[in-house]
Amino acid sequence: MAKTPFVTKEKVEEIVKSIPTPFHLYDEKGIRANAQAVKEAFAWNPGFREYFAVKANPNPFLIKILQEYGCGTDCSSLTELMLSKELGFSGEEIMFSSNDTPAEEFVYADEIGATINLDDFTHIQYLEDTIGHIPETISLRYNPGGVYEISNGIMDNPGDAKYGMTKEQLFEGYQILRDKGAKRFGLHAFLVSNTVTNDYYPALAKTLFELVVELKEKTGIEISFINLSGGVGIAYRPDQTPNDIRVIGEGVHRVYDEVLVPAGLTDVAIYTEMGRFMMGPYGALVTKAIHEKHTYKEYIGVDACAVNLMRPAMYGAYHHITVLGKEDAPCDHKYDVTGSLCENNDKFAIDRMLPQVEMGDYLYIHDTGAHGFAMGYNYNGKLKSAEVLLKEDGSYQLIRRAETPKDYFATFDCFDIIKGLV
Ligand SMILES: *Cc1c(COP(=O)(O)O)cnc(C)c1O
């Protein structure tokens, strides 16, 4: 399947007149259509809520759009909690799924009434010691260990992951929490990242539903919400078939009716914490070709670098690239597309077949809407880019300005040593 940019070369030429490259561009229309589809896919479950994983894209303008579709937020840090509160999310619309959590973050999460999802058994005591009580609503994170296998093979290796607690710890944990006064319980698990199959959520749901039935039989504790967390992936490669959220929602519905309903568990709410699926395809990094280099390989140097999009350097992740205006030209040139960091892994693509790239061409790097800008850093003193929203009516809006050197030097503002720069 061809991957098509959501913007034309002409539109980009218009945007760069006021906002220079590189920048991340977001597609409002796509974000809205997808958020609506997610809502409809789980409408069979009256308690359903998608808690958008803020870490995937912490831009308040974008989170505000998701809020219109009933989404809450899933936070993993103090600043994400602060942002959610400031955007007007109520406590029950905020999930706090953190790990290795500092005390002050538990304090703040409790203060704003967020649902706390504990990563570990020892955190029960730590939380009580920290905030002085056990919240009425509380969730625990499960790790089944071993390898996680579904019909299409081994998906990942939870036994090697730092997250979650064992089944024994989980069962004991709920009983301790009940004894300490908790009233409403949740179960959470995140076992596989970026799954490009409609089978992951239904398989995970089955695992968790069976666990919840067993918990009820053994302890009498009834789980109120089951959080399938993130992991629903996107088709980064043109040959992948994108997930169909309607099929996924129906799959979860089917196991709900098969496992929970016969056990008398008929009003369990389903929660999700998708990040990548909510935003990934609706963002792109727009960058300009500024150098070509012909040595032992052919290189195209662009004005963005790994600071703007780290996934290729960090995971060797594939991001499709379209040369704007050359959508239909034959891909008959092989390039490494590089950024300017003094790191040889600063390459957006290696041995990639593209149309002939000329200096000044705009390269559209697909699927940067999640874990793109958000992972940015400042190595080599590079500054983070602007973010721009392409609105439904075709106009555009700056939704984050680019960093300036002043931002970069700002943490020296309490000293005199580089006074001239801060
Ligand atoms: C990262 C993360 C998510 C979002 O994951 P995606 O793969 O982007 O959907 C959700 N929940 C938790 C706890 C996470 O750490």
Side-chain angles (χ1 to χ4, degrees), residues 51 53 55-56 74 76 97-98 117 141 163 188 190 192-194 229-232 273-277 370-371:
Y51 290 85
K55 74 161 193 265
D74 162 41
S76 55
S97 292
S98 61
N117 178 35
R141 182 167 185 168
Y163 310 107
H188 170 282
F190 187 169
V192 194
S193 200
N194 192 29
S229 191
V232 179
E273 290 176 338
M274 294 181 282
R276 195 185 313 271
F277 188 78
H371 313 293

Side-chain angles (χ1 to χ4, degrees), residues 306-363:
V307 159
N308 308 109
L309 176 67
M310 197 181 190
R311 298 186 71 259
M314 186 151 162
Y315 313 116
Y318 180 94
H319 279 265
H320 198 64
I321 297 178
T322 298
V323 183
L324 291 176
K326 297 182 178 175
E327 285 82 353
D328 299 322
C331 292
D332 53 5
H333 284 64
K334 191 193 270 187
Y335 295 113
D336 280 14
V337 178
T338 76
S340 58
L341 295 190
C342 304
E343 278 280 359
N344 197 42
N345 68 1
D346 184 13
K347 294 180 179 176
F348 292 116
I350 296 172
D351 295 332
R352 183 72 58 87
M353 296 307 294
L354 293 172
Q356 180 160 23
V357 176
E358 279 144 294
M359 296 304 90
D361 278 351
Y362 293 107
L363 273 61

